[in-house]
Amino acid sequence: MKIVFLIQNLYGIGGTIRSTVNLTAALAERHEVEVVSILRTADQPSFDIDARVRVRDLVDLRESSPTSPETTHGRPSLRRTPPGATPGATTTAPC
């Protein structure tokens, strides 16, 4: 069975990331496992990823990346997006 996890940023540090890494390693013993990280902010993840787990990144935000939004001409930079303008931003509904 193929199992795919979607996580916002595999390259940070936190409980969700650690739990995902541990679970993918356990599942990789019997399944094909992949982690899709929406953002890539570092060269290497903070936690060791099992060699049997495939990692795929959707948006590379490293400054050294040739596809970084800051270095790709003609595309908006995610780093310069004002707070509250991104999906999932907390807003207060009028009463």
Side-chain angles (χ1 to χ4, degrees):
M1 176 186 310
K2 182 171 183 175
I3 302 169
V4 180
F5 288 81
L6 177 65
I7 191 165
Q8 182 177 3
N9 183 3
L10 183 64
Y11 299 86
I13 296 177
T16 302
I17 299 165
R18 177 176 288 232
S19 296
T20 301
V21 168
N22 291 339
L23 184 56
T24 57
L27 290 171
E29 293 177 13
R30 296 182 183 220
H31 304 284
E32 180 183 349
V33 181
E34 179 178 9
V35 177
V36 177
S37 179
I38 296 172
L39 304 176
R40 180 171 187 167
T41 56
D43 292 332
Q44 296 293 322
S46 299
F47 300 105
D48 293 331
I49 308 295
D50 189 294
R52 299 169 292 186
V53 176
R54 179 179 178 195
V55 175
R56 187 183 317 192
D57 309 306
L58 300 181
V59 179
D60 192 342
L61 295 178
R62 296 174 297 164
E63 293 197 18
S64 63
S65 170
T67 60
S68 171
E70 288 191 350
T71 60
T72 305
H73 301 289
R75 293 186 184 170
S77 172
L78 294 177
R79 291 180 188 260
R80 296 185 190 130
T81 303
T86 57
T90 305
T91 57
T92 304
C95 295

